[in-house]
Amino acid sequence: MRDILFRAKGIDEDDKDRWYEGFYIALNDTTYCIKEDYENHPDNTKHYIIFDQMTDWGLPNRHLQARINPDTLCQFTGIVSKDGRRIYEGDIVHMRCDGLSGYGVIEFDEGKFYINDTKRRLSLIHISEPTRLRCIS
C-alpha cells in the first residue's frame, strides 16, 4: 500500500512555522439551518493534519490533530530523495538522472506529479532513478 500523506504548517500563532506531517482532513465546524447563517459564516471548514506520537516502548501511540493553514497543504509524491527525505508537492529539488541536471519545483497537475523548471516539465513517472533527486527545501 502506498502512503498518501500530507504536510502543512500550523495555523495557530504558537505553531504557524511548524510543519505537520500525516493524514489530511477537512471538517465543517457547524451545520446551519438557515441560509443567512451560512452567509454570515461563509468559511465554516476547519483543516487538520492527523498524526501519531510515540508515548513509550510497548505502549499505544497517541493520535493527535493539528489545525493547519490549508494554503500550505502539500501532498507526498511517494518518492524519497537520495538523502532519505520524503519529497512533497511544492518542494524544490535538484535532479541528476536520465541525462538531465537542474533544479525544479514539484507540482501536481492532471493527476500526476511533475518537476517543473524554466525549460521543461518532467513527469515523475518518467524518472528512472527517483532516488537521484535531492530535496533542497
Side-chain angles (χ1 to χ4, degrees), residues 49-73:
I49 293 286
I50 310 297
F51 60 99
D52 60 343
Q53 184 179 62
M54 182 183 161
T55 55
D56 203 353
W57 297 107
L59 295 177
N61 288 344
R62 295 175 50 200
H63 298 106
L64 305 171
Q65 67 183 23
R67 190 156 166 235
I68 54 110
N69 178 349
D71 295 334
T72 64
L73 188 67

Side-chain angles (χ1 to χ4, degrees), residues 47-137:
H47 303 269
Y48 299 94
I49 293 286
I50 310 297
F51 60 99
D52 60 343
Q53 184 179 62
M54 182 183 161
T55 55
D56 203 353
W57 297 107
L59 295 177
N61 288 344
R62 295 175 50 200
H63 298 106
L64 305 171
Q65 67 183 23
R67 190 156 166 235
I68 54 110
N69 178 349
D71 295 334
T72 64
L73 188 67
C74 310
Q75 186 174 357
F76 176 47
T77 62
I79 295 174
V80 177
S81 69
K82 70 179 186 177
D83 59 351
R85 290 177 55 188
R86 291 181 173 148
I87 296 177
Y88 283 87
E89 173 185 9
D91 281 346
I92 298 171
V93 296
H94 180 261
M95 64 178 164
R96 184 171 295 200
C97 51
D98 298 332
L100 301 171
S101 180
Y103 293 91
V105 177
I106 302 295
E107 296 179 350
F108 185 80
D109 189 31
E110 300 174 354
K112 294 186 270 189
F113 288 101
Y114 294 90
I115 297 176
N116 196 4
D117 68 9
T118 57
K119 301 175 198 162
R120 61 192 162 267
R121 186 174 183 213
L122 181 64
S123 171
L124 288 182
I125 295 171
H126 297 115
I127 296 177
S128 63
E129 297 178 70
T131 56
R132 305 263 332 252
L133 295 173
R134 186 169 47 98
C135 192
I136 305 299
S137 69

